[in-house]
Amino acid sequence: MATALNVPPTAPVTTPQQMKKEEEKVDYLNLPCPIPYEEIHREALMSLKPELFEGMRFDFNKGLSPKFSLSHSVFMGPMEIPSQSSETIKIPTAHYEFGANFIDPKLMLFGRILTDGRLNARLKCDLTENLTLKANAQLSSEPHMSHGMATFDYKGKDYRSQFQLGNGALFGANYIQSVTPHLSFGGEVFWAGQHRKSGIGYAARYNTEKMVATGQVASTGLVALSYVQKVSEKVSLASDFMYNYMSRDVTASFGYDYILRQCRLRGKIDSNGVAAAFLEERLNMGLNFILSAELDHSKKDYKFGFGLTVGE
Amino acid sequence: MASSQGKKRISATSNEQSLITRVSRSVSQSPIVHQSKRAASDAAFVLKKLIRSTGKAAWIVGTTFLILVVPLIIEMDREQQLNDLELQQASLLGTPK
């Protein structure tokens, strides 16, 4: 019989061996590296949770050198204030955000500052080939609203592990392991000192080239299942089911994601009676026009936004 | 005619209630008429509710269709036009694609 051949890779490059329909024995010593634990729902999130906004948005990215770029962003529109009553309170705000990015294969720095006094900074650094440090910080002029978090990632041959430290005595760790070429399992624990809460969670992900199915359970009461099917190279359909067994809250949503040459259109409908759509249209080289719409039929709250993105 | 009117007048004067009153009352106070009136008002109520809920459903379906499906149709149509243009150009210029 055939000896162990190469495992079908989950990377986009397909080897010629995969094209032939031979019987392949799975080489359990040569499994691919799994997706990071926090990105386990990545495909479903990309399709089902676009960045919907209300108002006008304008982004301008200017590259000053191959590694360094600046970004200017203007936003004008109503912002929702969480209120105790069922009515949503919207206050019109406008802000300008200035940012700088430095991107290097080993080091990535990212900083943003807003006119309302918030500073957002991110760092990603490859300390060795397998160990990565990621840190982010959000400073705000309001007291007790600043926080920071540092993450150490270790990437093994077919596993990944991560350790997180945050301010307010927040500790977390997670681990994910590839079990077969298509299936990976992971778990996480966290402890929040300020709120004296701890939790444990498990996740599983099964993916082939055409579909991705993930499931996640956490002791905070969250059960999340998602399924994404790539119907063709331009179209993918996604569905998501979230259930919180503590607060008995159920949400199911379905969405589509069309990636065409001139545009990217994402639409979704929810069991809470929310229908949303997000369109990014390429008007010209480096010029993108964005339209966002969200209809909440149960709360009768309708949000529409438009924007323009200039630059790469 | 006069005799029948006369007869009615005689019977009117002889009883407490006239014949017309008694006949019309027996018709309008009969149980059948009560029931049919109740049925008609129920039917009107249900019909009004049905129209209102159909209207609401049509609004929800219509606006959701407008948000989810109309941009999709427009973009697919543009993609189709772009494909046709490319095909035409490829066949005109003879590009080996």
Side-chain angles (χ1 to χ4, degrees):
Chain A
M1 266 328 272
T3 51
L5 289 176
N6 283 345
V7 148
T10 52
V13 175
T14 57
T15 60
Q17 278 105 344
Q18 197 192 357
M19 299 299 205
K20 297 183 209 151
K21 295 282 180 191
E22 293 175 1
E23 222 184 81
E24 294 169 349
K25 257 184 76 173
V26 170
D27 187 3
Y28 279 102
L29 297 175
N30 216 6
L31 294 172
C33 200
I35 306 252
Y37 190 89
E38 61 265 9
E39 290 181 24
I40 206 164
H41 293 285
R42 176 178 66 185
E43 274 86 3
L45 284 180
M46 273 190 339
S47 297
L48 291 175
K49 300 218 176 2
E51 292 172 353
L52 301 166
F53 61 97
E54 181 174 16
M56 191 210 80
R57 200 177 100 175
F58 177 77
D59 290 333
F60 177 58
N61 279 327
K62 171 87 190 205
L64 295 180
S65 88
K67 295 189 180 178
F68 187 67
S69 64
L70 294 177
S71 92
H72 306 264
S73 164
V74 177
F75 175 78
M76 300 161 102
M79 295 282 270
E80 269 182 34
I81 305 284
S83 72
Q84 285 80 14
S85 65
S86 64
E87 295 278 316
T88 46
I89 301 178
K90 294 193 193 183
I91 298 188
T93 50
H95 63 71
Y96 164 74
E97 183 190 54
F98 174 72
N101 312 331
F102 175 77
I103 299 179
D104 192 46
K106 293 236 168 142
L107 178 66
M108 194 182 95
L109 299 170
F110 181 92
R112 294 275 182 274
I113 184 158
L114 278 91
T115 48
D116 49 3
R118 274 184 291 165
L119 174 70
N120 201 343
R122 286 211 318 244
L123 156 81
K124 174 176 170 295
C125 173
D126 288 345
L127 298 172
T128 74
E129 199 185 303
N130 289 336
L131 185 64
T132 306
L133 164 67
K134 285 199 276 205
N136 71 22
Q138 274 177 334
L139 305 177
S140 157
S141 54
E142 292 165 44
H144 302 296
M145 287 287 278
S146 316
H147 48 266
M149 181 138 90
T151 305
F152 292 93
D153 291 348
Y154 184 76
K155 184 170 88 165
K157 189 144 173 278
D158 56 2
Y159 65 90
R160 277 187 207 250
S161 62
Q162 194 181 71
F163 179 64
Q164 292 170 340
L165 293 164
N167 81 330
L170 177 68
F171 298 100
N174 62 50
Y175 178 78
I176 183 166
Q177 164 91 44
S178 254
V179 171
T180 77
H182 298 295
L183 184 61
S184 45
F185 287 121
E188 69 167 347
V189 295
F190 73 89
W191 186 68
Q194 238 176 20
H195 307 280
R196 296 263 182 250
K197 272 204 296 216
S198 67
I200 191 168
Y202 305 99
R205 179 182 158 111
Y206 181 80
N207 72 338
T208 64
E209 274 171 29
K210 292 245 164 189
M211 59 85 125
V212 174
T214 68
Q216 186 173 15
V217 184
S219 72
T220 51
L222 174 74
V223 174
L225 308 167
S226 81
Y227 179 76
V228 178
Q229 169 95 20
K230 199 161 141 177
V231 173
S232 79
E233 58 180 46
K234 296 188 180 180
V235 182
S236 65
L237 300 172
S239 70
D240 177 275
F241 177 78
M242 258 195 353
Y243 172 55
N244 193 331
Y245 56 77
M246 303 282 186
S247 65
R248 303 268 173 208
D249 208 7
V250 183
T251 304
S253 63
F254 295 95
Y256 65 82
D257 187 356
Y258 269 72
I259 305 182
L260 305 173
R261 265 178 298 180
Q262 301 278 62
C263 76
R264 180 170 182 184
L265 177 60
R266 284 176 267 189
K268 90 160 201 236
I269 183 152
D270 215 351
S271 69
N272 297 332
V274 175
F278 190 80
L279 168 70
E280 286 161 301
E281 169 118 14
R282 210 189 73 157
L283 295 179
N284 211 341
M285 183 67 210
L287 189 67
N288 281 344
F289 181 60
I290 310 176
L291 285 175
S292 146
E294 188 182 341
L295 306 173
D296 191 343
H297 292 291
S298 53
K299 289 194 220 155
K300 301 239 188 288
D301 183 20
Y302 309 114
K303 303 190 205 169
F304 299 95
F306 71 98
L308 207 54
T309 304
V310 182
E312 311 81 45
Chain B
M1 262 225 351
S3 56
S4 66
Q5 276 181 352
K7 271 192 199 150
K8 275 196 194 136
R9 245 183 273 127
I10 291 171
S11 60
T13 52
S14 58
N15 296 336
E16 284 281 335
Q17 302 156 339
S18 69
L19 181 65
I20 295 178
T21 315
R22 263 192 299 144
V23 165
S24 71
R25 204 176 291 175
S26 75
V27 166
S28 70
Q29 280 180 352
S30 71
I32 298 176
V33 170
H34 276 303
Q35 274 180 0
S36 61
K37 264 198 209 166
R38 227 178 299 144
S41 75
D42 282 349
F45 182 69
V46 167
L47 197 65
K48 201 165 65 167
K49 282 239 154 151
L50 199 67
I51 286 179
R52 197 162 289 174
S53 66
T54 306
K56 268 206 241 177
W59 169 258
I60 290 178
V61 167
T63 53
T64 304
F65 177 84
L66 198 62
I67 293 288
L68 291 181
V69 179
V70 169
L72 189 63
I73 293 178
I74 293 174
E75 290 300 331
M76 279 176 34
D77 194 40
R78 286 185 65 179
E79 176 85 5
Q80 188 65 34
Q81 272 182 358
L82 191 65
N83 275 343
D84 287 347
L85 189 67
E86 272 186 5
L87 210 62
Q88 199 185 38
Q89 276 189 347
S91 69
L92 267 178
L93 303 172
T95 45
K97 259 262 157 108

